[in-house]
């Protein structure tokens, strides 16, 4: 029997709803339950793939090629359950399906309405593809009170009735702010948020209260009384020192116990095994040194734009038992004097150019690659960071002075060009510059074959790998021989040998650039081998400088 935990947020956004959902998933897993986690997003984009990272943060890509909300990254990092297309839906996708059906005539004769058509579509999505997991944790994006989330709340309200209290429970995350002038925690925003929820027919069973100070028993009683929940089901959530402490903290506050109780399960019947999380916290709390990694990118003012990347670097630190200190650089600042690059990057132990889109800042990224290559500082290029590394090598190692990417316009030497055709399983996918932008990139898991004797072959310890992709442009295989002769080895290719997947410089201590996004598959308890190796190289570098 699959049980559903519906998770809503109140008062303000950014309370860590995604992280709490992921942590609860991990806690239920630690007791032997199987879980799936999914997110219902009320905005009208069909998926977040067309939004700026400044708007939405990172786009998390699943194996099956969905461009999804970054919370799915938390879910996967905490539970290791591979997320998929069916784990993220938006109002845009729901309406797109309904309108397509209406045009086909599937509803002939009927007036198509929010209730029941939109709510039914949301319910179908929520109940579908659950793999018979013991628990499905279903997070509703946005904050209670938003107009656009109403159909989602109505849908989960209906599901609460249809599934019954043993199969559905409602968890609400709110804020209990501390007012310094009064020296008091305030429960009123929580009361209002729950009142709003109850006015649309949802009575939360468990309240999780984010707070900066301990909630005294008297205030906890007050919250319970005004919000109509049991006192034990008021869970306080103090700020954590690391996101990997969050499952342990929630467990200590009794979150998993309360969720189990709320669906009629006895928490004493299962014993949580949290050893994995304690081990991770040992790495967090007792690193043996620190490495400094420069990220040279475009969206550096918003770390959420690089969420998985930051975490994968942290995991690489766990693998080497060091703390990873990230230094952010807007690549545009490297487009002026060469001395600026030297001053900024001379003392870092590794340089990483992440994924990105568009011409702005590209020359600065290329300057960072040149610096890493010439000064033998470990370099890790990811997606756009690989494409720029190849342009750099073409210009400065192979003497192709006008080498560039056609992403920035037509050019004489298109070292990186539009991807117009590729193999996906047994089918050939074709694209042209005229195609619509949404969901048309080369997305999701594709295999790559590694060349024996190369650094990446050694790092992965296997020949065939599968990694997640999200790109529209590709390195032009026609330049392979010239680039290899100049010292840039093509160490990984698509199985048909047509798409370059990895390049490396054998003459460099650690220079690896990949077309895919390895950061999406890294876990704290299973650091991605490339991140483990990159931080390992940075540790070596830190002993030199
Ligand atoms: N803009 C490049 C492309 O579309 C790189 C994409 C990325 O870094 N994810 O191919």
């Amino acid at each position: 029997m699959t049980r559903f935990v519906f998770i809503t947020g109140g008062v303000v956004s950014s309370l860590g709803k995604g992280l709490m959902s992921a942590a609860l998933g991990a806690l239920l897993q630690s007791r032997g339950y199987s879980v799936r986690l999914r997110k219902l997003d009320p905005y009208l984009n069909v998926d977040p793939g067309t939004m700026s990272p400044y708007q939405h943060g990172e786009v998390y890509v699943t194996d099956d090629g969905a461009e999804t909300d970054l919370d799915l990254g938390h879910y996967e990092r905490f539970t290791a359950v591979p997320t998929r297309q069916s784990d993220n839906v938006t109002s845009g996708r729901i309406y797109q399906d309904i309108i397509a059906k209406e045009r086909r005539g599937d509803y002939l004769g009927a007036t198509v309405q929010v209730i029941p058509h939109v709510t039914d579509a949301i319910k179908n999505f929520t109940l579908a593809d659950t793999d018979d997991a013991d628990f499905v944790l279903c997070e509703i994006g946005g904050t209670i009170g938003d107009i656009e989330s109403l159909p989602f709340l109505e849908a989960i309200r209906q599901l609460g009735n249809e599934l019954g209290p043993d199969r559905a429970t409602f968890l609400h995350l709110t804020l209990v702010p501390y007012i310094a002038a009064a020296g008091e925690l305030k429960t009123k925003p929580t009361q209002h948020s729950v009142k709003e929820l109850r006015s649309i027919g949802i009575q939360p069973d468990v309240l999780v209260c984010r707070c900066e100070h301990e909630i005294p028993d008297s205030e906890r009683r007050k919250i319970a009384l005004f919000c109509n929940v049991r006192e034990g089901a008021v869970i306080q959530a103090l700020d954590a020192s690391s996101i990997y402490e969050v499952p342990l903290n929630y467990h200590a506050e009794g979150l998993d116990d309360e969720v189990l109780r709320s669906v009629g399960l006895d928490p004493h019947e299962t014993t949580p095994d949290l050893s994995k999380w304690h081990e991770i916290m040992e790495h967090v709390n007792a690193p043996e040194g620190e490495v400094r990694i420069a990220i040279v990118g475009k969206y550096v003012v918003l770390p959420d734009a690089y969420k998985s990347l930051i975490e994968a670097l942290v995991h690489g630190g766990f693998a080497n038992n060091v703390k990873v200190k990230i230094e952010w650089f807007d690549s545009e600042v490297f487009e002026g004097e060469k001395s600026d690059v030297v001053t900024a990057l001379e003392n870092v132990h590794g340089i990483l150019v992440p994924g990105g889109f568009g011409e702005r800042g590209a020359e600065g990224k290329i300057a960072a690659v040149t610096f890493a290559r010439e000064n033998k500082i470990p370099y890790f290029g990811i997606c756009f960071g690989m494409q720029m590394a190849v342009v750099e090598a073409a210009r400065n190692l192979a003497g192709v002075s006008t080498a560039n990417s056609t992403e920035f316009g037509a050019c004489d030497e298109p070292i990186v060009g539009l991807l117009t055709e590729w193999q996906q399983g047994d089918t050939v996918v074709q694209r042209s510059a005229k195609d619509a932008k949404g969901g048309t990139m080369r997305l999701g898991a594709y295999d790559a074959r590694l060349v024996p004797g190369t650094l990446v072959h050694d790092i992965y310890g296997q020949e065939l790998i599968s990694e997640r992709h999200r790109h529209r442009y590709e390195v032009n295989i026609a330049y392979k021989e010239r680039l290899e002769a100049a010292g840039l080895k093509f160490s990984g290719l698509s199985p048909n040998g047509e798409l370059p997947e990895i390049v490396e410089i054998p003459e460099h201590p650690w220079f690896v650039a990949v077309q895919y996004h390895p950061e999406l598959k890294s876990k704290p308890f299973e650091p991605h081998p490339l991140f483990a190796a990159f931080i390992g190289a940075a540790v070596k570098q830190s002993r030199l400088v």
Side-chain angles (χ1 to χ4, degrees):
M1 176 164 87
T2 301
R3 295 175 164 88
F4 291 81
V5 183
F6 296 111
I7 298 163
T8 55
V11 186
V12 290
S13 58
S14 304
L15 290 180
K17 191 152 39 97
L19 210 51
M20 191 214 61
S21 307
L24 177 60
L27 290 177
L28 293 170
Q29 266 185 336
S30 79
R31 292 171 176 268
Y33 296 111
S34 60
V35 297
R36 284 209 74 80
L37 285 97
R38 48 188 43 166
K39 174 115 194 249
L40 278 49
D41 273 314
Y43 53 74
L44 283 172
N45 299 62
V46 171
D47 61 44
T50 53
M51 277 188 237
S52 156
Y54 288 125
Q55 286 279 319
H56 190 267
E58 162 187 276
V59 173
Y60 188 79
V61 180
T62 60
D63 274 335
D64 62 357
E67 295 178 282
T68 71
D69 185 82
L70 56 75
D71 280 334
L72 273 76
H74 291 310
Y75 304 164
E76 212 176 301
R77 272 189 290 281
F78 276 63
T79 65
V81 176
T83 49
R84 30 186 213 238
Q85 174 83 69
S86 52
D87 293 323
N88 191 199
V89 77
T90 66
S91 293
R93 186 176 296 283
I94 298 274
Y95 278 94
Q96 189 186 41
D97 287 358
I98 289 176
I99 290 169
K101 277 192 192 157
E102 187 276 333
R103 292 290 82 186
R104 265 204 317 266
D106 292 7
Y107 305 113
L108 273 189
T111 307
V112 184
Q113 294 181 298
V114 172
I115 304 172
H117 299 97
V118 172
T119 45
D120 278 356
I122 296 170
K123 288 196 292 185
N124 290 342
F125 165 81
T126 307
L127 298 173
D129 214 11
T130 60
D131 296 347
D132 292 329
D134 297 321
F135 281 91
V136 172
L137 276 54
C138 197
E139 180 189 343
I140 318 297
T143 308
I144 295 308
D146 296 346
I147 289 176
E148 57 188 8
S149 51
L150 283 174
F152 289 93
L153 298 171
E154 169 60 15
I156 62 170
R157 181 197 68 74
Q158 292 176 17
L159 279 175
N161 270 342
E162 288 163 25
L163 295 165
D166 287 350
R167 288 194 63 200
T169 185
F170 293 90
L171 194 158
H172 188 56
L173 177 67
T174 89
L175 177 69
V176 177
Y178 178 74
I179 306 298
E184 279 178 19
L185 287 169
K186 290 293 178 190
T187 64
K188 194 71 87 190
T190 295
Q191 294 177 36
H192 275 294
S193 185
V194 172
K195 191 171 164 211
E196 183 80 22
L197 254 186
R198 293 175 69 199
S199 76
I200 47 181
I202 296 174
Q203 166 63 55
D205 301 295
V206 179
L207 273 183
V208 176
C209 303
R210 280 297 302 271
C211 48
E212 285 173 40
H213 294 270
E214 295 260 347
I215 305 179
D217 285 346
S218 58
E219 296 307 291
R220 207 184 280 248
R221 271 197 295 278
K222 193 163 152 190
I223 295 172
L225 183 67
F226 280 91
C227 299
N228 195 32
V229 295
R230 284 183 309 102
E231 207 179 311
V234 178
I235 307 288
Q236 76 172 0
L238 288 159
D239 295 344
S241 64
S242 151
I243 61 169
Y244 300 115
E245 198 183 24
V246 171
L248 295 170
N249 290 357
Y250 275 130
H251 177 66
E253 295 293 340
L255 176 64
D256 40 335
D257 283 18
E258 287 305 325
V259 168
L260 292 174
R261 268 191 204 109
S262 70
V263 287
L265 290 171
D266 180 358
H268 300 296
E269 273 177 14
T270 45
T271 316
D273 173 8
L274 297 169
S275 48
K276 182 160 89 175
W277 296 99
H278 286 294
E279 272 167 40
I280 292 167
M281 283 312 292
E282 277 168 31
H283 287 300
V284 173
N285 290 329
E288 290 162 4
E290 177 178 283
V291 292
R292 289 190 298 279
I293 302 295
I295 297 185
V296 182
K298 186 157 133 184
Y299 316 107
V300 291
V301 289
L302 185 75
D304 262 4
Y306 301 109
K307 192 76 217 156
S308 296
L309 182 66
I310 298 169
E311 294 313 321
L313 285 167
V314 170
H315 306 161
F318 294 164
N320 292 278
N321 214 17
V322 292
K323 183 171 172 9
V324 176
K325 181 165 183 287
I326 296 175
E327 298 190 3
W328 298 95
F329 296 98
D330 180 340
S331 58
E332 273 183 298
V333 304
F334 295 155
E335 293 185 346
E337 294 299 313
K338 200 172 171 190
S339 57
D340 290 346
V341 185
V342 179
T343 321
L345 298 180
E346 123 185 287
N347 289 319
V348 300
H349 307 131
I351 295 172
L352 191 151
V353 176
F357 293 83
E359 189 168 17
R360 183 167 65 79
E363 289 301 324
K365 293 176 188 176
I366 293 171
V369 179
T370 310
F371 184 81
R373 183 177 57 72
E374 289 180 346
N375 294 284
K376 300 215 178 292
I377 297 175
Y379 175 77
F380 195 2
I382 293 181
C383 205
F384 198 67
M386 179 241 201
Q387 296 172 356
M388 293 306 103
V390 178
V391 170
E392 197 279 335
R395 287 184 194 171
N396 302 326
L397 287 178
V400 187
S401 61
T402 57
N404 219 332
S405 167
T406 61
E407 184 170 353
F408 319 143
C411 70
D412 294 340
E413 301 278 6
I415 293 282
V416 178
L418 186 70
L419 188 51
T420 52
E421 192 172 294
W422 68 89
Q423 192 83 27
Q424 185 175 36
D426 293 336
T427 51
V428 175
V429 186
Q430 284 178 325
R431 290 280 183 269
S432 85
K434 293 197 202 87
D435 281 336
K437 290 281 183 290
T440 54
M441 283 189 257
R442 181 171 177 247
L443 291 167
Y446 284 89
D447 288 347
R449 196 170 289 287
L450 309 183
V451 177
T454 58
L455 178 59
V456 284
H457 186 263
D458 185 44
I459 290 171
Y460 277 94
Q462 63 198 68
E463 210 159 298
L464 196 65
I465 59 162
S466 169
E467 293 281 5
R468 296 183 193 169
H469 295 68
R470 182 174 186 247
H471 62 122
R472 205 180 296 286
Y473 295 84
E474 59 160 338
V475 171
N476 191 340
I477 192 87
Y479 288 88
K480 178 169 180 272
E481 268 174 38
R482 270 169 89 181
L483 288 165
E484 290 207 319
L488 187 76
K489 175 82 185 156
F490 283 52
S491 49
L493 294 165
S494 58
N496 65 5
E498 284 172 11
L499 301 181
E501 290 277 7
I502 312 172
V503 292
E504 60 187 61
I505 297 181
E507 293 307 310
H508 188 283
W510 208 95
F511 190 107
V512 175
V514 299
Q515 181 58 76
Y516 48 84
H517 291 273
E519 71 275 21
L520 301 176
K521 296 219 305 195
S522 190
K523 322 257 171 353
F525 35 82
E526 202 183 307
H528 190 286
L530 284 177
F531 282 90
F534 174 55
I535 298 301
V539 170
K540 276 195 198 137
Q541 177 71 15
S542 71
R543 298 196 182 118
L544 298 176
V545 292

